[in-house]
Amino acid sequence: HTAYRRQRQMCIRDRNCSNHGSCLFFDVVTGSKLQSCSLIESRCQAACDCSDGHSGEFCEISQSELRTKRGMRSALANALLNLTHIDDISASTVTAWSAGLFSIALRPHELSLEDAATLAEVVNITLNNALELQMDSHEALVGVLQTTDTIASVLKYNYDPNVYNANNTITYAFPNNTAASVLPNLSRYGQLVTSNKVLGENHTLIQYNNFGMTVHKVVVDSYGPNLTLIGAASEQDSLT
């Protein structure tokens, strides 16, 4: 027979939290500390406990650098939100908003909870306008999916310095409404996908770090197109 070794999760490959912290394990649902964490355990994830003066996802930047980077990301997020209120609404401007979302959301640890809320508002506006315009290409709006995935990460981890104290106990109250925060926008994106489908067309599968979904069009009397969200246990757990 073949034996498979339960590989242990790590905070970062080849380095231990950039040599500025230590790796610990926690339950993504309860936030409680765990002794170990294997790759097949979906509810268990590794996180860095940064030493004083360092922050970020892997303790790779100083706290002063993080404040500077967050200030820049926050300014960009608010500027993009302002654009959604003053731009002339067209398919090209909605596509441009999505591209802006993509670039701002690439580094979750440089975003605060307030920035995540701002980007969620932009995602909502972008999708609502795309649906109203009956845009014929959901691929042009992948920025809203990247941003939704980033928002889920920020809500789960927050990436703030000193989330974990010197005794490796968690001092941050992990939010339990991550799914409620992202599912409405995923549903709107699914509506956009189904609006461009015909009955019997193959499913569209979408997979990101924090969620997975498949979208298809079916006949449902009086209710119109149907959006089905499915996924492996690990995908569903990550949205808990």
Side-chain angles (χ1 to χ4, degrees):
H1 67 279
T2 301
Y4 293 93
R5 179 173 174 266
R6 289 166 65 90
Q7 290 183 296
R8 188 183 186 188
Q9 287 195 33
M10 298 179 66
C11 290
I12 187 168
R13 188 175 299 172
D14 300 326
R15 290 186 293 167
N16 184 23
C17 299
S18 307
N19 296 319
H20 295 303
S22 58
C23 192
L24 59 83
F25 310 104
F26 67 93
D27 188 307
V28 298
V29 177
T30 66
S32 59
K33 180 188 172 186
L34 303 173
Q35 293 299 315
S36 62
C37 192
S38 72
L39 290 176
I40 63 173
E41 292 174 302
S42 61
R43 282 184 53 165
C44 177
Q45 291 190 11
C48 283
D49 175 19
C50 301
S51 56
D52 290 345
H54 289 86
S55 309
E57 186 176 5
F58 302 118
C59 309
E60 73 277 21
I61 60 176
S62 68
Q63 291 186 24
S64 60
E65 288 180 294
L66 181 61
R67 284 192 292 270
T68 300
K69 291 177 181 291
R70 281 194 167 181
M72 294 173 61
R73 296 272 171 185
S74 182
L76 289 171
N78 283 290
L80 183 57
L81 178 59
N82 289 336
L83 282 177
T84 64
H85 295 308
I86 63 176
D87 276 346
D88 292 330
I89 307 300
S90 68
S92 61
T93 55
V94 171
T95 301
W97 297 343
S98 177
L101 284 167
F102 186 89
S103 62
I104 295 171
L106 279 178
R107 296 182 178 272
H109 67 276
E110 294 181 9
L111 295 167
S112 66
L113 291 171
E114 291 77 13
D115 297 331
T118 299
L119 292 179
E121 185 175 354
V122 177
V123 167
N124 182 47
I125 293 171
T126 301
L127 288 173
N128 284 342
N129 279 283
L131 288 168
E132 187 172 338
L133 291 168
Q134 299 181 339
M135 290 181 62
D136 58 5
S137 175
H138 62 271
E139 292 91 348
L141 298 181
V142 293
V144 303
L145 293 177
Q146 175 63 54
T147 304
T148 301
D149 188 52
T150 292
I151 290 169
S153 290
V154 174
L155 289 175
K156 285 201 299 181
Y157 305 122
N158 196 15
Y159 299 123
D160 269 341
N162 304 317
V163 166
Y164 305 96
N165 64 25
N167 296 321
N168 282 349
T169 56
I170 293 171
T171 58
Y172 169 64
F174 284 77
N176 60 5
N177 61 344
T178 305
S181 299
V182 302
L183 285 178
N185 283 330
L186 291 180
S187 179
R188 290 187 185 89
Y189 190 85
Q191 292 175 35
L192 183 64
V193 175
T194 55
S195 69
N196 296 317
K197 282 184 175 292
V198 296
L199 288 175
E201 189 175 352
N202 289 339
H203 295 191
T204 297
L205 178 64
I206 298 168
Q207 181 68 56
Y208 279 77
N209 290 331
N210 291 294
F211 62 85
M213 69 178 185
T214 183
V215 185
H216 64 283
K217 194 170 188 175
V218 298
V219 175
V220 181
D221 291 342
S222 303
Y223 293 102
N226 181 54
L227 167 66
T228 303
L229 293 175
I230 67 169
S234 60
E235 295 157 3
Q236 294 171 346
D237 286 346
S238 67
L239 281 176
T240 302

